[in-house]
Amino acid sequence: MEYLQAERDPLMTESIIRHSKNNGTVLAKMESVAEILEHQLDNVIHDWLGLVEEQEDLMSIPLSFEARTGHLPALLREVIARLRLDTGTKAPISLAASHHGDLRYQQGYSVAMVVEESRLLQVCLFTTLHKNTNRIEYSKLLPDVVTIADEVDAQLKQQMLRYMDAGAVEPTSKIN
């Protein structure tokens, strides 16, 4: 009897089909990688800080929460913006990364420390995607992962260029 009623009631049929395919759980809304990262921005920052706090060399430089993480919202917004660019569009040079390179030089970071922070950011971004796999549009996942890796690496390059420029400034020489 229930089967016959379901045949006559399209909403009931849809409900039965939807629940039968996923063991009765409610289907999650599918989102782009950019949307997921945008919604998880604060979590990404806190997760990244948790990873950083496990690194003795990074923690050897005492910084406040803001001094250590203040650059991340801008860098992450640039990653998200890059994910939303049309395929083949050239990404702009990261101003946030330039400022971050200057900042980390002034704070006494080594090149290796800046690289480690960048590596941890990629780990954190990919872990965030893994935690949200039930909401990801799979057809775009791999290209978006490539875009994230490329953007974070491009930001690291820009950070290093500015970091090295900051270190190239030599003090005025003494006049004899």
Side-chain angles (χ1 to χ4, degrees), residues 33-114:
V33 169
E35 289 171 323
I36 289 170
L37 294 179
E38 194 169 56
H39 295 137
Q40 297 294 320
L41 194 71
D42 287 338
N43 291 335
V44 169
I45 292 168
H46 284 91
D47 291 350
W48 176 85
L49 182 60
L51 293 175
V52 166
E53 288 174 341
E54 295 173 5
Q55 303 299 314
E56 192 175 311
D57 60 332
L58 296 177
M59 295 308 294
S60 68
I61 297 181
L63 297 172
S64 67
F65 175 84
E66 179 59 32
R68 196 170 301 277
T69 65
H71 67 288
L72 284 174
L75 289 178
L76 291 169
R77 280 192 295 276
E78 289 181 356
V79 169
I80 292 165
R82 171 87 185 271
L83 286 165
R84 290 184 169 136
L85 289 177
D86 292 331
T87 304
T89 304
K90 185 170 168 61
I93 292 175
S94 173
L95 294 176
S98 295
H99 296 306
H100 184 245
D102 290 337
L103 177 66
R104 287 303 193 239
Y105 179 83
Q106 293 165 3
Q107 291 170 331
Y109 271 59
S110 68
V111 168
M113 293 165 81
V114 177

Side-chain angles (χ1 to χ4, degrees), residues 48 55 114-124 152 156:
W48 176 85
Q55 303 299 314
V114 177
V115 170
E116 180 66 4
E117 279 192 340
S118 181
R119 185 188 72 77
L120 293 174
L121 181 58
Q122 285 192 53
V123 167
C124 191
V152 173
L156 176 60

Side-chain angles (χ1 to χ4, degrees), residues 123-141:
V123 167
C124 191
L125 289 168
F126 298 142
T127 300
T128 298
L129 294 181
H130 180 71
K131 289 178 185 176
N132 289 277
T133 53
N134 63 326
R135 297 169 38 209
I136 293 176
E137 293 177 14
Y138 283 101
S139 63
K140 297 179 181 179
L141 178 60

